[in-house]
Amino acid sequence: MDSLEKGAATSVPAPRGRPSRGRPPKLQRSRGAGRGLEKPPHLAALVLARGGSKGIPLKNIKRLAGVPLIGWVLRAALDAGVFQSVWVSTDHDEIENVAKQFGAQVHRRSSETSKDSSTSLDAIVEFLNYHNEVDIVGNIQATSPCLHPTDLQKVAEMIREEGYDSVFSVVRRHQFRWSEIQKGVREVTEPLNLNPAKRPRRQDWDGELYENGSFYFAKRHLIEMGYLQGGKMAYYEMRAEHSVDIDVDIDWPIAEQRVLRFGYFGKEKLKEIKLLVCNIDGCLTNGHIYVSGDQKEIISYDVKDAIGISLLKKSGIEVRLISERACSKQTLSALKLDCKTEVSVSDKLAIVDEWRKEMGLCWKEVAYLGNEVSDEECLKRVGLSAVPADACSGAQKAVGYICKCSGGRGAIREFAEHIFLLIEKVNNSCQK
């Protein structure tokens, strides 16, 4: 089934919680001024991203599959088109910069709500104290990188159209639970949700619903009473493959594979890459140039990158090299990469456009690996872009993927693997 099921309504009175911190909430502004026209309730997406993560330093902006972790959920929230505003609440400058780069607004949270002991509710209440225009908060967890806009759209409809006061995400698990053995208290464990004599097959058992923490939507009045779940309440069941949570470093490589396979990559459909254009200096090489005693130019490259180029070509992807520098043709020929090359290029975008038209491709079928300011226009224009780990900051801001490897140190091979994974994703989507 396409997505998910929503849970049956449950009416739960919201208990009173502790008073909110910071300045007191402002009075609700009156809506419908002028001829009684009512404005829709202001739904704000709020991602909490504190800088002081204990498990993984600056986890919220660590690169996952080439994208800052927080970028995955911000992309989904912005593309959902159901939020009047999308916010990141943070106490850290670097997280603020990444949030703005993805198009989110930033609420600088106080030191009071940035402590290890501070709760999510503390931070949300503080946010509302400063944003009286907000009627409903969609608290989205930064560590759920496989979230899709469709999930958020359906939950927004449940809140706005069906009248729920709070909706939270769950995932279905088929796991048998047993009681924990306390030392000196009991000698044997007991089943909690099964009869061992009649163990059901997976297909004969519906399983159980567990909160997965991806998001919690709640109306202002509940939050101001210190409650994220209450009133007329419902759950929203997410697909298991979209339910990914990253808490510790060991989750990272697993999550990276999951997000590449099941993550949301933007509004436009992915296309299969047919052409990769790679900058020579700083991508194929590490940017170092050595000059021999007889004035001959010497450069070095990583064999892994040569293998990456070979694998791309074997899979039917054309690889071409480009440089604004007057590279020695003799040196390039000695590399034996068998790639069409253009050097002394003053306008890289014009050359790439010429190659694209020559091959009869659309921009979405072109990939580009660059590292300098002169590469930025190409990086922004192509369907798939990347830079090595040591690329200049301007180039890094223009791309969708930042390699873990540096230029001349395996960046091409890494980007090639990324391309192959995306091609697999395209092929899988075509088979559905």
Side-chain angles (χ1 to χ4, degrees):
M1 66 195 215
D2 172 65
S3 159
L4 322 178
E5 298 175 8
K6 80 191 154 180
T10 306
S11 184
V12 178
R16 292 187 178 276
R18 58 184 177 283
S20 62
R21 297 175 177 175
R23 69 187 187 188
K26 300 175 184 176
L27 293 174
Q28 287 275 4
R29 67 176 182 179
S30 62
R31 290 194 291 269
R35 301 191 180 179
L37 295 175
E38 284 194 6
K39 293 182 180 178
H42 185 119
L43 173 57
L46 179 63
V47 181
L48 305 179
R50 192 168 62 94
S53 172
K54 279 189 170 181
I56 308 171
L58 287 179
K59 171 180 67 177
N60 293 310
I61 55 173
K62 183 178 177 181
R63 299 274 166 182
L64 178 74
V67 177
L69 178 59
I70 197 174
W72 291 100
V73 295
L74 288 177
R75 180 189 288 162
L78 288 161
D79 285 357
V82 295
F83 299 103
Q84 277 87 342
S85 58
V86 176
W87 293 85
V88 170
S89 170
T90 187
D91 61 334
H92 200 279
D93 290 344
E94 288 184 53
I95 295 176
E96 176 176 353
N97 291 337
V98 171
K100 288 179 176 177
Q101 180 184 328
F102 275 85
Q105 299 180 71
V106 173
H107 169 78
R108 287 298 294 221
R109 71 165 75 175
S110 66
S111 57
E112 183 74 11
T113 60
S114 300
K115 299 174 182 176
D116 290 337
S117 58
S118 300
T119 66
S120 295
L121 185 60
D122 292 332
I124 295 169
V125 168
E126 180 191 72
F127 169 80
L128 284 178
N129 286 342
Y130 286 87
H131 296 282
N132 186 56
E133 75 279 5
V134 175
D135 302 301
I136 309 163
V137 173
N139 174 215
I140 300 172
Q141 185 168 264
T143 54
S144 299
C146 285
L147 184 65
H148 281 241
T150 50
D151 296 323
L152 301 172
Q153 289 163 357
K154 291 175 183 177
V155 174
E157 183 180 346
M158 292 170 71
I159 292 276
R160 285 175 168 156
E161 306 298 329
E162 299 177 37
Y164 290 102
D165 296 311
S166 60
V167 181
F168 57 94
S169 58
V170 299
V171 65
R172 190 173 298 276
R173 303 288 189 204
H174 290 78
Q175 295 173 332
F176 296 130
R177 293 182 291 111
W178 293 79
S179 62
E180 185 177 352
I181 299 175
Q182 301 293 333
K183 231 176 184 182
V185 176
R186 67 175 13 144
E187 297 178 356
V188 295
T189 185
E190 294 180 359
L192 297 177
N193 64 345
L194 81 153
N195 179 356
K198 297 180 179 179
R199 288 177 63 93
R201 298 181 304 166
R202 180 185 176 92
Q203 59 266 39
D204 297 330
W205 181 45
D206 289 338
E208 296 180 328
L209 297 176
Y210 292 80
E211 284 187 32
N212 66 359
S214 285
F215 54 76
Y216 296 85
F217 282 57
K219 291 182 177 177
R220 175 185 275 269
H221 73 272
L222 286 177
I223 297 169
E224 288 180 344
M225 288 191 291
Y227 207 44
L228 281 176
Q229 295 162 299
K232 183 181 177 183
M233 180 171 52
Y235 63 76
Y236 179 82
E237 185 180 346
M238 289 179 62
R239 292 179 177 178
E241 61 267 28
H242 291 171
S243 185
V244 177
D245 185 29
I246 301 175
D247 279 328
V248 292
D249 234 347
I250 197 170
D251 296 334
W252 216 265
I254 299 170
E256 204 154 53
Q257 293 304 310
R258 289 279 292 277
V259 80
L260 286 169
R261 187 171 180 83
F262 302 113
Y264 172 70
F265 286 82
K267 289 181 179 179
E268 294 193 39
K269 289 185 178 180
L270 292 170
K271 280 190 173 286
E272 194 168 331
I273 297 300
K274 302 291 179 60
L275 168 66
L276 168 63
V277 180
C278 176
N279 193 37
I280 296 174
D281 298 315
C283 291
L284 175 63
T285 76
N286 60 8
H288 295 174
I289 300 172
Y290 306 93
V291 181
S292 65
D294 57 356
Q295 300 301 302
K296 287 185 179 178
E297 181 182 286
I298 302 171
I299 58 175
S300 65
Y301 70 100
D302 196 310
V303 173
K304 293 195 295 286
D305 289 326
I307 294 172
I309 290 173
S310 176
L311 291 172
L312 287 165
K313 291 166 70 175
K314 284 179 181 177
S315 67
I317 298 173
E318 177 85 6
V319 180
R320 298 188 179 185
L321 306 176
I322 196 168
S323 177
E324 58 192 308
R325 191 173 61 84
C327 304
S328 165
K329 290 184 178 180
Q330 184 178 359
T331 303
L332 293 173
S333 176
L335 298 178
K336 297 181 179 179
L337 297 173
D338 193 26
C339 296
K340 185 171 182 177
T341 304
E342 194 76 37
V343 300
S344 302
V345 176
S346 58
D347 187 347
K348 291 181 178 178
L349 184 62
I351 295 297
V352 176
D353 191 29
E354 183 181 314
W355 285 343
R356 175 188 70 84
K357 291 175 180 176
E358 170 196 315
M359 295 179 65
L361 306 177
C362 68
W363 280 107
K364 289 293 178 184
E365 296 171 299
V366 181
Y368 192 95
L369 181 66
N371 67 306
E372 275 299 340
V373 174
S374 60
D375 297 307
E376 287 182 26
E377 290 304 314
C378 292
L379 293 168
K380 291 175 183 176
R381 193 71 183 85
V382 297
L384 186 61
S385 58
V387 294
D390 55 349
C392 74
S393 60
Q396 288 193 14
K397 290 177 182 177
V399 299
Y401 185 88
I402 298 181
C403 298
K404 296 174 185 174
C405 299
S406 297
R409 295 286 186 272
I412 296 178
R413 176 61 185 269
E414 180 184 341
F415 190 35
E417 294 295 341
H418 182 65
I419 290 172
F420 293 143
L421 282 168
L422 292 183
I423 289 174
E424 182 183 346
K425 185 178 179 72
V426 171
N427 291 336
N428 287 339
S429 65
C430 290
Q431 291 170 9
K432 291 180 180 178

